[in-house]
Amino acid sequence: MRLADPGPAAYHLWGKLCQRRGSAPRAVQVLQPGGTYNHTYWDSTYRGGILSYVNAATAAGYATFTFDRIGTGNSTIPPYDVMSLDGEAVALHDVVTALRSGALGHRSFSHVISVGHSFSSGVAAAEAARYDDVDGLIDTSLAHAESDAAAAFLPTANYEAGLDPKFAGRGLDGYLTTIPGERGFYHSPKTSNADIIALDEANKDIHSGAEGPEIAAFAQPPTPAEAITQRVTVPVLLMLGGDDNLSCGAGAIDCSSAGNVRAHEAPYWHGSAANVTFTVLPGVGHSIQLSTAEPVAAAIMLAWSWRIARP
C-alpha cells in the first residue's frame, strides 16, 4: 500500500475479508478503526461477539474488510512523521481499488461502502473527496466541532507509546497511546460497563502524534466552505452518540436531537448536506460500536447501507 499518490507501494497493511459461508455478496463494507484503535473495534469479542459489527454486517449479507491502518496493529509502523491524514486516504483508496479489482480475496466487488470511526471518518471523507470511488460513506463519531471537555481531555490523556507497558521497547518514537485508566472518556455510563471499558483498554493501540493537529484542522476548518466534506458527493450517514464527549456538549453541538446536529453540520457538507442522513443515539458515547447500543447502531447502519448498495 501507498502513503502518497504518486508514490511507492512500500507498506504492508493487515486486513481480514469476511463473508458468511455460502454467500456471494456484491457489496463490501470497509471498516476503518479510529485513533488508538485497531481492527478489534469493529469485531469485538465481548460476550462472544454480541457487539461485533462484522457479525452483524455479514449476517445481513455484506462482505466486510476490517484492517489495521498503517501505523497501527499488525500493519507497517513507519516513522511517525511519515503518517498523515492525506497519506492514509491514499492507502484507503488502494484498499478500495483492490476490492473492486479482485486483488483482495480473489473476487471483485461491484459496490464499496466506506465506514469510519472518529479519526478514520476523516480519512474516509478525505478519500471520497479526492477519489470519488465509493458508493457511500458512513461517518461515525466525527463532526465539525470540539467540545470544551475534549479540549481539556485530549492534551493530558495521551502519552508517548513507549512509556506504556503494552508498547514499551518497540521503538515507537512519536507515537501516542492513552494513559491507562483514561478509556472511560470514550464511553457513556448509560450504555457501557466496566467489562467493556477493560476490554477497550486491553485492545488499545497507537496513533501517530503528527496526525492529531491534522484531524483537528479537518474538524474545524477556517470556514464551512473550506471543509473537505464539501467535496464529498456520495450519500453519507453521519452518526453521533448523544453523550459523545468529543463532539457534543459545551462549546460544541447540542446532540439531544438529529435536527440539532443537522443544523450545525449542514453548512460543512456538499449541497448543504442534501445527501447526508443524520442520526443520534441517545445515551451513547464516542465509541459507539463498543457500547450496549451497538446492535441498534448496526441496524441503522445496515438499513441505510441497504438503500445505498444492497449486498
Side-chain angles (χ1 to χ4, degrees):
M1 296 295 172
R2 301 172 299 162
L3 286 174
D5 185 6
Y11 305 96
H12 169 77
L13 183 144
W14 181 95
K16 183 168 64 173
L17 182 63
C18 296
Q19 64 188 60
R20 288 298 169 104
R21 182 171 298 179
S23 67
R26 298 167 299 165
V28 59
Q29 299 206 3
V30 180
L31 309 179
Q32 308 145 70
T36 72
Y37 282 96
N38 54 41
H39 70 279
T40 60
Y41 177 79
W42 296 104
D43 198 13
S44 173
T45 58
Y46 176 75
R47 290 183 57 187
I50 63 171
L51 304 184
S52 168
Y53 183 74
V54 169
N55 287 348
T58 54
Y62 287 96
T64 61
F65 184 72
T66 314
F67 65 92
D68 292 337
R69 293 181 294 104
I70 295 170
T72 68
N74 300 312
S75 295
T76 300
I77 312 292
Y80 83 98
D81 55 359
V82 171
M83 301 302 302
S84 69
L85 190 148
D86 284 344
E88 295 213 43
V90 173
L92 176 58
H93 170 62
D94 285 353
V95 169
V96 173
T97 300
L99 288 165
R100 286 195 182 277
S101 70
L104 287 176
H106 307 293
R107 62 176 308 241
S108 60
F109 292 94
S110 303
H111 304 290
V112 179
I113 294 174
S114 184
V115 186
H117 168 237
S118 192
F119 173 83
S120 69
S121 288
V123 174
E127 195 275 343
R130 179 172 182 178
Y131 295 104
D132 193 26
D133 60 351
V134 295
D135 296 83
L137 165 63
I138 300 178
D139 169 336
T140 69
S141 305
L142 182 65
H144 294 91
E146 181 182 76
S147 70
D148 294 345
F153 170 81
L154 292 173
T156 61
N158 300 282
Y159 65 167
E160 286 285 332
L163 299 175
D164 195 281
K166 182 175 181 178
F167 305 108
R170 292 177 50 187
L172 297 173
D173 294 347
Y175 282 88
L176 307 176
T177 193
T178 50
I179 296 170
E182 297 288 354
R183 303 297 281 194
F185 185 82
Y186 300 133
H187 301 264
S188 168
K190 300 170 188 173
T191 51
S192 189
N193 58 49
D195 290 340
I196 290 175
I197 295 172
L199 186 61
D200 189 353
E201 178 71 36
N203 288 333
K204 73 179 181 181
D205 216 290
I206 59 175
H207 192 73
S208 167
E211 293 179 315
E214 292 189 325
I215 195 62
F218 173 96
Q220 296 184 294
T223 67
E226 297 172 78
I228 291 172
T229 46
Q230 292 285 2
R231 304 197 301 275
V232 177
T233 59
V234 297
V236 176
L237 172 64
L238 194 157
M239 175 182 288
L240 292 179
D243 289 352
D244 187 331
N245 288 327
L246 274 72
S247 296
C248 305
I253 307 172
D254 174 1
C255 294
S256 60
S257 73
N260 290 343
V261 175
R262 171 177 282 279
H264 178 276
E265 282 291 296
Y268 293 91
W269 289 87
H270 176 76
S272 297
N275 288 334
V276 183
T277 300
F278 295 92
T279 300
V280 172
L281 298 171
V284 178
H286 185 67
S287 292
I288 294 171
Q289 262 58 45
L290 299 181
S291 75
T292 56
E294 196 285 331
V296 176
I300 294 170
M301 293 162 68
L302 292 167
W304 179 88
S305 298
W306 190 267
R307 296 195 299 272
I308 303 306
R310 295 187 179 187

